[in-house]
Amino acid sequence: MRKVLTAISIMLTTIAAQAQTDPEYRAEIGAGAAMTAYVGDFNGNITKNMQPMGVLLGRYRFNPRMGLAMNIGYGKLKGTSEGLATWYPGISEDGAATVEFNNSLIDAGLRFEYNFWPYGTGREYRGAKKLVPYIALGLGATYVNGGGNSVFTANVPMGAGIKYKMGNRLNLGVEWAMHFSMNDKLDGVADPYGIKSNGMFKNTDCYSMLRLSVTYDIMAKCKTCNNDRD
């Protein structure tokens, strides 16, 4: 019995020692693939005409619950008024004209993320979980080019997602977000209804984004730098 207790004690000591020496990483870098859908005057469906987008991203962790994420992506923004039973006085008097666009889209943003539970392997932080949901809010920039027109404007991304710790330094993320732009010409047409409106997001175009990403932890935090006992 004494040998069993001794073996258990050695095993627990080894696990504790490994936990103490496991580095805690401050940041992540990675890439992702996304599907983006235009939402505006000619489409109210957040999944219609979804187009592919490639994304590069990074994240700095303040602690296991909060972080600051940065991203830049390139893709397409596509839409059409075909099939819509809507009269657009700003386009044609009889409503017979069809608006179609297939524009290039560059999206860049910086946003704050909040995890509902501490995120991690559980070794570097007691109580951390490998699978956590989170919410995000930030400020971004949008550049759209196509059809002889180009638009540069700000956007406000609001989203939610799930993070999963696949390994000590490997993370998988799935996120859905709406990007509310401050411009009504992402589709190349401004105010097709001919109705003036006031307010930051009134009568403006936006786009939804569904993203799958993989990131790798970097910038190991030194646990003994300020520890006088070591």
Side-chain angles (χ1 to χ4, degrees):
M1 184 66 179
R2 181 176 297 177
K3 292 182 179 180
V4 174
L5 293 175
T6 301
I8 293 174
S9 177
I10 293 173
M11 182 179 67
L12 292 176
T13 301
T14 303
I15 293 174
Q18 290 176 346
Q20 291 175 357
T21 57
D22 259 356
E24 179 182 346
Y25 295 94
R26 295 178 181 270
E28 309 167 28
I29 56 172
M35 297 297 291
T36 307
Y38 153 82
V39 181
D41 298 310
F42 307 111
N43 179 36
N45 189 329
I46 60 175
T47 61
K48 185 179 179 180
N49 287 322
M50 297 191 84
Q51 300 297 303
M53 170 176 275
V55 182
L56 297 176
L57 62 147
R59 182 179 288 112
Y60 184 85
R61 303 173 186 165
F62 300 119
N63 56 55
R65 280 186 178 267
M66 294 180 285
L68 192 65
M70 299 157 283
N71 70 273
I72 182 167
Y74 176 80
K76 290 287 186 177
L77 206 62
K78 184 178 181 180
T80 179
S81 64
E82 185 176 1
L84 300 179
T86 304
W87 182 58
Y88 300 101
I91 299 173
S92 64
E93 291 300 320
D94 57 4
T98 298
V99 175
E100 293 185 2
F101 61 94
N102 188 4
N103 299 334
S104 298
L105 168 67
I106 297 177
D107 172 82
L110 181 69
R111 74 268 182 88
F112 175 78
E113 294 180 353
Y114 179 79
N115 304 325
F116 286 95
W117 300 301
Y119 177 66
T121 62
R123 293 181 179 180
E124 73 280 0
Y125 185 86
R126 181 178 297 177
K129 300 181 182 298
K130 291 186 176 182
L131 182 68
V132 300
Y134 69 95
I135 54 176
L137 175 65
L139 183 64
T142 300
Y143 177 74
V144 173
N145 183 45
N149 299 309
S150 62
V151 174
F152 180 78
T153 185
N155 76 76
V156 176
M158 300 176 61
I162 297 175
K163 301 174 183 177
Y164 176 65
K165 198 78 175 175
M166 295 191 293
N168 288 339
R169 302 180 68 175
L170 204 60
N171 311 277
L172 179 68
V174 179
E175 177 187 287
W176 179 85
M178 283 295 298
H179 296 249
F180 298 92
S181 86
M182 299 181 185
N183 194 286
D184 190 39
K185 292 193 69 175
L186 301 189
D187 48 24
V189 180
D191 190 23
Y193 295 103
I195 301 174
K196 300 298 181 181
S197 60
N198 297 317
M200 183 176 294
F201 299 115
K202 289 185 178 181
N203 197 27
T204 60
D205 297 328
C206 55
Y207 49 96
S208 68
M209 187 183 300
L210 179 64
R211 187 183 75 194
L212 176 67
S213 62
V214 177
T215 60
Y216 185 76
D217 291 348
I218 59 172
M219 296 175 59
K221 181 180 179 181
C222 178
K223 288 193 172 186
T224 60
C225 294
N226 300 311
N227 193 337
D228 295 334
R229 294 174 298 175
D230 298 326

